[in-house]
């Protein structure tokens, strides 16, 4: 249970609450480790990420304890060059699995780590109206561990190419933000 809580916290740092029907991209095999060239320590303002072969640690504030997750049944990593896609499996408070995504890649121009914040569900529905999805009633647990009342939750089931377009669009949008910074390799 503690591992699921840590995964939920780690996930909140990398992505919005957009849910998928399973690990992404669909049909790609799981990797058993983060790529060697991505492993290392990265800093951005007060945040820090440390990636080892089978673990990712995140500090929202370098003066506090880290949140971490191991590559396992609850954290799938898959390649979608140039991205490494992390899919975390969680549980809705009302029961049933949910899958959320974060994307990492090395900057093309230097050894820094860029992270992709995925587009929220309204943007996906607007920009990619043909992506298969279902709407289900679920109670979602907030970051402080309190279940919300049941609400409609959209669960997306994109093809691998649709998923690539979603991630690339979200990253381009995020990178255009004036305050966006990558994590600098230490």
């Amino acid at each position: 249970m503690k591992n699921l809580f840590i995964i939920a916290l780690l996930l909140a740092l990398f992505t919005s609450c957009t849910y998928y029907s399973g690990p992404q991209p669909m049909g790609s095999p799981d990797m058993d480790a983060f790529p060697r060239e991505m492993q290392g320590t990265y800093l951005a303002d007060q945040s820090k990420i440390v990636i080892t072969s089978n673990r990712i640690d995140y500090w929202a504030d370098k003066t506090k304890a880290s949140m971490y997750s191991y590559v396992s049944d609850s954290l799938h990593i898959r390649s979608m060059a140039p991205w490494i896609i992390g899919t975390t499996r969680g549980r809705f408070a009302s029961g049933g699995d949910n899958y959320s995504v974060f994307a990492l890649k090395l900057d093309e121009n230097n050894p820094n780590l860029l992270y992709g914040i995925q587009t929220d569900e309204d943007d996906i529905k607007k920009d990619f109206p043909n992506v298969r999805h279902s709407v289900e009633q679920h109670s979602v647990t907030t970051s402080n561990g309190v279940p919300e009342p049941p609400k409609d939750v959209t669960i997306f089931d994109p093809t691998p190419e649709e998923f690539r377009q979603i991630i690339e669009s979200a990253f381009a949008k995020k990178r255009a933000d004036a305050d966006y910074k990558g994590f600098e390799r230490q």
Side-chain angles (χ1 to χ4, degrees):
M1 185 60 136
K2 180 180 176 187
N3 196 26
L4 287 178
F5 178 71
I6 290 169
I7 289 170
L9 288 175
L10 180 65
L11 174 65
L13 300 169
F14 289 112
T15 186
S16 63
C17 292
T18 302
Y19 301 110
Y20 290 88
S21 60
Q24 297 298 316
M26 288 295 222
S28 295
D30 286 344
M31 300 167 60
D32 58 0
F34 286 96
R36 181 178 300 276
E37 64 272 9
M38 188 172 276
Q39 295 173 29
T41 300
Y42 303 87
L43 300 176
D45 296 327
Q46 292 301 310
S47 300
K48 178 178 174 181
I49 295 175
V50 175
I51 299 173
T52 62
S53 66
N54 68 342
R55 178 177 160 147
I56 185 167
D57 286 75
Y58 179 83
W59 288 259
D61 180 335
K62 291 180 281 193
T63 65
K64 298 185 177 155
S66 74
M67 294 166 279
Y68 61 91
S69 185
Y70 287 95
V71 175
S72 67
D73 290 342
S74 296
L75 172 62
H76 300 266
I77 55 171
R78 294 179 173 179
S79 178
M80 187 180 79
W83 298 96
I84 295 299
I85 306 298
T87 304
T88 57
R89 185 185 67 188
R91 300 261 319 148
F92 288 115
S94 56
D97 290 339
N98 62 59
Y99 295 86
S100 299
V101 171
F102 64 91
L104 303 167
K105 75 174 184 174
L106 293 176
D107 193 319
E108 305 85 14
N109 303 317
N110 58 50
N112 295 334
L113 183 72
L114 304 174
Y115 63 96
I117 304 299
Q118 101 178 285
T119 306
D120 68 30
E121 68 178 78
D122 291 334
D123 287 342
I124 295 172
K125 287 178 183 176
K126 179 176 65 88
D127 297 338
F128 305 97
N130 296 324
V131 172
R132 286 185 313 244
H133 63 277
S134 60
V135 177
E136 301 176 7
Q137 279 275 315
H138 285 288
S139 176
V140 177
T141 303
T142 63
S143 60
N144 62 1
V146 178
E148 295 178 343
K151 64 180 181 179
D152 284 347
V153 175
T154 303
I155 300 175
F156 293 98
D157 188 18
T159 66
E161 184 54 34
E162 289 169 334
F163 180 72
R164 176 181 294 283
Q165 292 170 3
I166 290 167
I167 291 296
E168 289 176 352
S169 172
F171 182 72
K173 181 178 176 182
K174 181 66 178 174
R175 200 164 190 189
D177 291 346
D179 63 346
Y180 176 78
K181 293 181 182 177
F183 281 76
E184 291 185 24
R185 187 184 289 268
Q186 300 301 296

